[in-house]
Amino acid sequence: MKAIVLRLAGPLTLLWMAVMLGLTLTPAKDMPRTPEWQLLSFDTAAHAGVFAVLAGLAWLWARPHRRHPASMVLLGSIAFGALIEVLQYAMQLGRHAEWTDLLSDTIGAALVLAGASLAGRRRGLGTSAGLALLLLLPGHASAQAASTGPDLARARRTIVELASEKMHGRGYVQQGEHQAAAYLRGRLQQLGLAPLAPDYTQPFTLDVNTFPGKMALTVAGERLLPGRDFIAAPASAAQPRAQHYRLEPLDTLVFSDTTIVRRYLAGLRGVIPGAKVTPWVTGYLPSAWVLRARDEARLPTLPLALQQLLAESGPRLVLMPKLTASLASAKAAQVRLEVLASRWAQLPSATTATIQLDARLRRSYQTQNLAAMIKGTAQPDSFLVVSAHYDHLGMMGRTTYFPGANDNASGVALLLELAAHYARPENRPACSVVFLLFGAEEAGLVGSSYFVRHPLVPLASIKFLLNLDLLGTGEEGATVVNGRVYEHAFTRLTALNDAHHYLPRLTARGRAANSDHFPFSEAGVPAFFLYTRGGSQAYHDVNDRPAALSLAGFAGAFGLARDFLDGLGAR
């Protein structure tokens, strides 16, 4: 029997390595959803477990042939684990390299090898029994970590899911935000959180301008790419059919030379091609204005009559140093496209352009907030609130979508990790902890403002609100909006960070209406907005993807938020 085991150990080791490599090269979207255990981090235990099996098989294989098989197998396991992390990073399949995964791999292998060596020295303990005992120890270590820290692998999967193409940018085209809300309801239910409204849902409506259909811009024969080369301004009007235009660069002398102003107002031929010219004249093309963003900002300084002429005489192409999309609740009368200035500079001298744009104003569009709670064991009528917005910018055209990985799939992922922490029996909070996932933040804090007007818990009973937004980086620490408003609370936050070195540094800001904390603090609810700095600079563009996020400060932000909430009464 022993000879059979030794003969099979080698092939089984190679087969197990092949299985592990196959799982490594499987795209994240094709991986099965793993359970969210209350007392154990499944992903961490899985890493430790598969490497424990690998080390056990390799030890049985190497033992008859090597003087120090345990050392050789441990070094080989570490190298193989490092190779797996490098492949996951390099293959760009939605999987990510994590040093904590390599640590789990090493712990799993080391514990099994230690047990095997111990079993070999003690005749009373068989090798198989020793291996079986040690396979349980990585799970015990994982349970200890899971009860206090975030599951980074699970957090990445949350970000990948929310930023995936099937969520359509979590906006108002193809029901993107509804699909995201359905996914998050499932997560809240899976964690066992109590709903604060039927099916966790607080419905509300908003008006929003959308771009669901054709979106095309061709300049000098080159077709520019939506999202990459140009975007529609949030309040842009539609151009339902493809229309050719003569490009008219704005003469910047108009800001300083009254003669140029008079010529524009007179509409002289050759100065404003097409202005006040009969449309049926042969060769006539209407004008489209081309101007830089900084010059557009100066338009309000012009005479009102000229401002009106520029607003009514044709579409506007604004050259931008960076494309930053946003949303609007109304639709203007003029087509306005924002074009990346560096891309425009690559075009040959352009005199004409073709524009087509589908713009639809959705009135009274129904969306929702999601609200859940873990009831306090000692002070159930006193509340701490953790919030994050789950919506994003949606789609622009039929194929271009804004992933919103950092903004704000990352904040949602951190909220869910905190919810998983407090949902565990050993971490049940003393006062109630409410988890709010707001809709329509990108449309102007619509969801959070609605909640403040129609609160599901008394605002006066909220001890503190911690809003999580843009938590996917952290190389340079974090900023706390309202840190200068609630100075005592910020001092406690800083003390926690100094004691545990969660983040490189914390910076306080004053009052700012830049996320969902603002309606609450304006209503008298103490509130912080925490966001990380450094790393990826992608913001409100098509480059805000999961692969761009380091999550360098994610675990630190989790620890800081947890300790801050615990100090306020969560524990």
Side-chain angles (χ1 to χ4, degrees):
M1 183 67 178
K2 180 178 180 180
I4 295 174
V5 170
L6 293 177
R7 281 199 299 270
L8 289 177
L12 286 174
T13 300
L14 296 175
L15 177 62
W16 191 245
M17 292 174 69
V19 170
M20 293 169 69
L21 284 173
L23 291 173
T24 297
L25 301 177
T26 302
K29 63 183 179 61
D30 296 331
M31 292 290 289
R33 184 176 295 178
T34 56
E36 297 187 8
W37 294 348
Q38 295 293 320
L39 297 177
L40 183 66
S41 170
F42 181 91
D43 189 77
T44 304
H47 271 270
V50 296
F51 270 83
V53 173
L54 175 64
L57 291 171
W59 183 82
L60 291 173
W61 184 19
R63 186 184 181 194
H65 310 292
R66 294 289 185 270
R67 186 174 179 180
H68 301 290
S71 299
M72 185 196 72
V73 170
L74 179 60
L75 292 175
S77 297
I78 294 172
F80 188 59
L83 173 64
I84 285 177
E85 298 305 315
V86 170
L87 287 174
Q88 288 185 335
Y89 177 80
M91 296 298 290
Q92 297 184 354
L93 296 173
R95 310 288 294 278
H96 298 273
E98 298 283 359
W99 71 268
T100 52
D101 289 345
L102 182 58
L103 180 62
S104 298
D105 302 340
T106 304
I107 291 173
L111 290 176
V112 166
L113 291 170
S117 299
L118 178 65
R121 288 196 296 268
R122 295 189 178 183
R123 297 179 182 274
L125 180 62
T127 301
S128 298
L131 289 175
L133 173 63
L134 269 296
L135 279 172
L136 296 175
L137 293 179
H140 175 73
S142 298
Q144 295 295 321
S147 66
T148 58
D151 185 334
L152 286 176
R154 181 175 61 196
R156 276 207 180 273
R157 289 195 298 273
T158 300
I159 294 169
V160 168
E161 181 74 12
L162 288 171
S164 65
E165 186 175 1
K166 66 184 178 183
M167 294 291 181
H168 307 296
R170 306 191 305 278
Y172 309 97
V173 174
Q174 297 190 33
Q175 301 289 303
E177 47 77 43
H178 285 302
Q179 294 185 47
Y183 164 74
L184 292 170
R185 285 190 198 95
R187 293 290 300 274
L188 296 173
Q189 187 174 26
Q190 192 177 41
L191 289 170
L193 272 60
L196 277 177
D199 200 22
Y200 301 100
T201 302
Q202 182 187 44
F204 63 92
T205 62
L206 77 156
D207 297 341
V208 60
N209 197 31
T210 64
F211 306 97
K214 189 72 174 179
M215 182 174 180
L217 173 61
T218 302
V219 180
E222 290 195 37
R223 187 163 187 172
L224 304 189
L225 298 176
R228 297 288 179 187
D229 300 329
F230 78 101
I231 58 175
S236 177
Q239 176 60 62
R241 294 187 178 184
Q243 173 67 54
H244 299 292
Y245 291 95
R246 180 177 297 174
L247 296 178
E248 175 64 23
L250 181 70
D251 188 344
T252 56
L253 289 176
V254 73
F255 297 108
S256 58
D257 191 334
T258 56
T259 302
I260 301 299
V261 172
R262 288 194 296 270
R263 285 182 179 177
Y264 271 116
L265 290 173
L268 296 177
R269 288 179 185 270
V271 177
I272 311 177
K276 298 188 178 181
V277 176
T278 308
W280 52 81
V281 172
T282 302
Y284 165 79
L285 285 179
S287 294
W289 297 97
V290 180
L291 64 161
R292 296 171 300 183
R294 63 175 179 268
D295 293 328
E296 186 182 47
R298 300 167 66 190
L299 293 182
T301 66
L302 297 176
L304 290 177
L306 183 52
Q307 291 183 45
Q308 184 176 1
L309 170 65
L310 294 174
E312 296 176 352
S313 59
R316 185 180 297 178
L317 304 182
V318 184
L319 307 184
M320 310 291 292
K322 179 193 177 298
L323 299 182
T324 303
S326 57
L327 299 174
S329 59
K331 185 163 66 174
Q334 185 181 39
V335 174
R336 183 177 179 273
L337 301 179
E338 299 178 359
V339 184
L340 191 64
S342 59
R343 181 68 178 92
W344 187 269
Q346 297 171 1
L347 299 171
S349 298
T351 58
T352 61
T354 302
I355 298 172
Q356 186 174 8
L357 179 64
D358 179 20
R360 302 179 191 177
L361 179 61
R362 304 290 302 271
R363 295 192 180 277
S364 299
Y365 181 98
Q366 182 161 310
T367 184
Q368 62 279 308
N369 297 321
L370 303 179
M373 181 179 70
I374 298 174
K375 192 171 183 178
T377 57
Q379 299 174 322
D381 296 327
S382 184
F383 304 96
L384 293 170
V385 178
V386 181
S387 67
H389 75 89
Y390 69 89
D391 67 301
H392 196 51
L393 301 169
M395 300 190 68
M396 196 166 282
R398 291 175 180 153
T399 59
T400 299
Y401 76 101
F402 295 87
N406 197 28
D407 187 12
N408 183 38
S410 64
V412 172
L414 187 52
L415 179 147
L416 291 174
E417 290 303 309
L418 287 167
H421 171 79
Y422 286 114
R424 298 185 185 102
E426 71 274 21
N427 297 331
R428 287 282 174 170
C431 64
S432 296
V433 181
V434 173
F435 298 92
L436 299 179
L437 291 159
F438 291 122
E441 189 266 0
E442 304 289 11
L445 313 182
V446 180
S448 53
S449 297
Y450 184 87
F451 186 96
V452 168
R453 294 194 304 271
H454 307 88
L456 298 177
V457 297
L459 296 183
S461 298
I462 298 176
K463 299 174 69 174
F464 211 94
L465 178 141
L466 182 61
N467 183 54
L468 307 172
D469 200 348
L470 304 168
L471 272 300
T473 62
E475 291 85 347
E476 299 176 11
T479 295
V480 182
V481 176
N482 275 353
R484 295 177 183 171
V485 177
Y486 304 102
E487 293 181 352
H488 180 67
F490 182 73
T491 298
R492 286 193 288 109
L493 198 68
T494 302
L496 290 170
N497 194 59
D498 290 343
H500 301 284
H501 307 290
Y502 287 127
L503 295 165
R505 57 184 170 273
L506 292 179
T507 302
R509 279 186 62 178
R511 174 177 173 269
N514 52 357
S515 193
D516 287 315
H517 66 287
F518 186 72
F520 287 87
S521 58
E522 292 296 288
V525 176
F528 279 162
F529 160 29
L530 179 69
Y531 65 91
T532 53
R533 303 191 310 274
S536 173
Q537 299 300 306
Y539 176 74
H540 279 214
D541 56 38
V542 295
N543 300 313
D544 185 10
R545 299 181 177 276
L549 300 186
S550 66
L551 296 189
F554 193 91
F558 174 94
L560 185 63
R562 177 201 60 212
D563 291 358
F564 182 68
L565 294 170
D566 286 353
L568 290 170
R571 293 300 303 276

